Amino acid sequence: MNRSRDDLFALKQTSMSEFAFDDQVARVFDDMIQRSVPGYSTLLTGIAALTRKYAQNNTHCYDLGCSTGASMLAMHGALGNRGCKIIGVDNSTAMIERCRSDLQQAGLDIMIDIVCSDILDVSIENASVVVMNLTLQFIPLAKRQRCLETIYRGLLPGGILILSEKINFTDAHENQWQQSVHHGFKQLHGYSALEISQKRTALENVLIPETLETHRQRLINTGFRTIHSWFQCFNFISLAAIK
């Protein structure tokens, strides 16, 4: 697969546009996320392990905000012969095109549906696994509860929602420390201070993180009663919520 290095914010920009999942981002996305999200490979391995544990025969497994399809690849490798269909949803045409290309090259386009749509407009049906891997943070705050309620209604008893997010911390010192080590992680992976600063500005009103406590309470309000924190690396977490 053709993967380009992320240099979108390497040059100083006189005016900053809001971050968007456009053609430029789709071209470098795989490199961007590996170099920006601590523990990303572990997230994918965990998604595979949880899919293997919770996927039920002849059901649907959803990847909401599927980007280039990495979580779908992880799920596919864990499903075996259970007769499950994987459904990936993303509202970016550029990301969907890249996803389809990558899955075709991997020979995994059978039993996988890829839908270009706002995930708030998608019906969740007969689901045993739903993945939101760094997706909810891009949905407007006022719509996040409704999004989770739609997922909950479509999950079968015993089904799982895997929710991965960048988070904030209520303690200001803790929040500053976590952000600083995250920036250090990105610098270790070749991003300059200028790149980090400019990307942060572009994302400011697009990616809205919340606290772990907020995520847990929203899941409880939705109806989930079993919620496990299974991953954290700096200011990134993943929760497993079971219906």
Side-chain angles (χ1 to χ4, degrees), residues 55-103:
Q56 302 172 31
N57 291 342
N58 304 310
T59 60
H60 295 159
C61 299
Y62 289 85
D63 182 9
L64 303 180
C66 63
S67 61
T68 59
S71 294
M72 287 191 288
L73 288 170
M75 285 191 283
H76 185 277
L79 285 171
N81 298 317
R82 304 190 197 190
C84 294
K85 176 182 285 188
I86 300 174
I87 302 170
V89 182
D90 204 291
N91 66 354
S92 165
T93 302
M95 299 295 271
I96 286 288
E97 289 176 354
R98 180 63 184 267
C99 181
R100 287 184 174 133
S101 174
D102 284 3
L103 291 177

Side-chain angles (χ1 to χ4, degrees), residues 189-227:
H189 285 79
Y191 285 116
S192 67
L194 175 64
E195 287 176 287
I196 294 169
S197 175
Q198 291 192 140
K199 185 179 179 185
R200 185 177 184 179
T201 300
L203 282 167
E204 187 172 5
N205 296 315
V206 179
L207 190 165
I208 310 296
E210 298 177 284
T211 64
L212 176 58
E213 293 78 9
T214 298
H215 285 295
R216 291 183 67 90
Q217 188 59 55
R218 187 183 289 118
L219 289 167
I220 290 169
N221 293 344
T222 300
F224 291 102
R225 291 295 176 263
T226 302
I227 304 166

Side-chain angles (χ1 to χ4, degrees), residues 13-28:
Q13 301 182 26
T14 55
S15 61
M16 189 68 60
S17 300
E18 284 193 344
F19 186 91
F21 292 98
D22 55 16
D23 290 335
Q24 286 187 314
V25 170
R27 176 178 57 84
V28 302

